[in-house]
Amino acid sequence: MDKNEETEIVFNEKKVTKEIQSPDKSKLLVLTYLEDMNARKDFDYKIIDLKSKKELLTGTFTGIKMEWYTNDSIKGYLFQGMIEKENPQDNFKIINIK
C-alpha cells in the first residue's frame, strides 16, 4: 500500500425487526430499530395479544435494550454512557401494558 493512499471505512446500518414472546406466551413484543455502531437505539415497539391479534400498546423508547419484565410489563434499559448512576434502579424504565 502506498503511503499516500487513503482507506475509506464505511459503517452500514440496517433496520431490524425482532419479535419476543412474553413469559406466558400470550403476548408478542415487536421491536424495530436501526442496527448500527451506536450503543443507544431508538426502539419503535408494539405489543400484540396473540389470541385476539389486537395491538395493546405502541410507543418509542430510547435506550440500549428492551425485554419482558413480567407478563404485563416491559423493561427498557437506559443508556448511561461512561457515568454510572449511584442508584441502579435509575438504569431502566418499566413500561406497563395494562
Side-chain angles (χ1 to χ4, degrees), residues 12-18 31-45 59-66 76-80:
N12 292 329
E13 59 183 41
K14 65 179 180 174
K15 194 166 199 161
V16 175
T17 299
K18 195 175 195 180
L31 301 173
T32 305
Y33 58 94
L34 285 179
E35 183 75 37
D36 57 17
M37 296 299 293
N38 295 319
R40 193 186 90 181
K41 305 211 179 313
D42 293 322
F43 295 97
D44 290 323
Y45 65 88
T60 302
F61 175 78
T62 300
I64 56 172
K65 180 180 174 183
M66 290 185 81
Y77 293 87
L78 302 168
F79 179 72
Q80 298 299 318

Side-chain angles (χ1 to χ4, degrees), residues 11-84:
F11 294 104
N12 292 329
E13 59 183 41
K14 65 179 180 174
K15 194 166 199 161
V16 175
T17 299
K18 195 175 195 180
E19 297 180 348
I20 307 166
Q21 285 189 341
S22 63
D24 69 356
K25 310 273 192 256
S26 67
K27 297 175 191 76
L28 187 67
L29 170 63
V30 181
L31 301 173
T32 305
Y33 58 94
L34 285 179
E35 183 75 37
D36 57 17
M37 296 299 293
N38 295 319
R40 193 186 90 181
K41 305 211 179 313
D42 293 322
F43 295 97
D44 290 323
Y45 65 88
K46 61 182 163 184
I47 298 167
I48 300 169
D49 181 277
L50 290 173
K51 189 173 184 180
S52 68
K53 306 294 186 213
K54 184 179 175 184
E55 207 171 87
L56 302 174
L57 184 69
T58 62
T60 302
F61 175 78
T62 300
I64 56 172
K65 180 180 174 183
M66 290 185 81
E67 65 185 8
W68 285 99
Y69 185 60
T70 67
N71 289 317
D72 295 314
S73 62
I74 302 296
K75 187 175 191 178
Y77 293 87
L78 302 168
F79 179 72
Q80 298 299 318
M82 296 301 288
I83 301 170
E84 284 189 35

